[in-house]
Amino acid sequence: MGRRTKVAMTGPEPDGAVLAELKALRDRIPRLTGTLVASNDGLLIAHDLPDHLEPTGMAAMTATQLALSYRLVTTAHGGSFQEVVVNGSGGHVVIYAAGWTALTVLAAPEVNIGRLHLESRPAARAIAARLSALTTTDARNGQPLETE
């Protein structure tokens, strides 16, 4: 079998404010191992992941978990999806709804989940607001997009 290699993906540069939010989140929570933002259809928007994790694959898995969790919540209780926590022996993966995107946070097993939620929920809201503002303005000049 051949060796797998990472292929650089080309596309628009991630928004600086979103990257800053991800880095600030990692600074506020000791033992946070990575973060990423993905669209609900699996496209990578921004990430602050360690080198051994493939960001586009993580974005695709985030979208899959988001869709499954959304379906589970609406089937069981109705209402909207907010977050899902996956605990493993190697750590936690938490996915937060963030508008039309999702914030995924990876943390070591000893991280306090309550603290993680306390810091990550506002970050998810800030990211959703920033990306929502970008979709309603022209990224080239910051002017509102014209609608017909």
Side-chain angles (χ1 to χ4, degrees), residues 57-92:
M58 284 296 296
M61 287 188 283
T62 292
T64 301
Q65 183 64 45
L66 185 66
L68 179 61
S69 298
Y70 173 80
R71 180 65 187 246
L72 184 63
V73 165
T74 57
T75 300
H77 299 291
S80 62
F81 168 77
Q82 294 179 346
E83 63 201 39
V84 63
V85 178
V86 179
N87 296 316
S89 61
H92 312 286

Side-chain angles (χ1 to χ4, degrees), residues 1-6:
M1 293 197 70
R3 186 173 154 211
R4 287 198 259 175
T5 59
K6 291 183 185 178

Side-chain angles (χ1 to χ4, degrees), residues 130 132-147:
R130 173 66 183 172
S132 177
L134 287 177
T135 60
T136 59
T137 61
D138 185 336
R140 292 168 292 179
N141 61 17
Q143 297 299 312
L145 290 175
E146 293 182 24
T147 57

Side-chain angles (χ1 to χ4, degrees), residues 12-119:
E13 288 296 315
D15 181 65
V18 172
L19 283 173
E21 191 70 47
L22 295 180
K23 290 184 187 309
L25 185 60
R26 283 190 70 183
D27 290 343
R28 289 192 305 267
I29 303 173
R31 307 283 294 153
L32 205 63
T33 56
T35 57
L36 78 92
V37 177
S39 68
N40 58 14
D41 58 357
L43 296 175
L44 178 65
I45 295 171
H47 76 90
D48 184 24
L49 293 174
D51 290 338
H52 70 277
L53 292 175
E54 207 286 308
T56 57
M58 284 296 296
M61 287 188 283
T62 292
T64 301
Q65 183 64 45
L66 185 66
L68 179 61
S69 298
Y70 173 80
R71 180 65 187 246
L72 184 63
V73 165
T74 57
T75 300
H77 299 291
S80 62
F81 168 77
Q82 294 179 346
E83 63 201 39
V84 63
V85 178
V86 179
N87 296 316
S89 61
H92 312 286
V93 179
V94 186
I95 300 173
Y96 299 91
W100 54 272
T101 66
L103 168 64
T104 300
V105 179
L106 310 175
E110 61 273 8
V111 169
N112 180 300
I113 293 293
R115 168 92 187 274
L116 186 70
H117 290 327
L118 185 66
E119 298 288 350

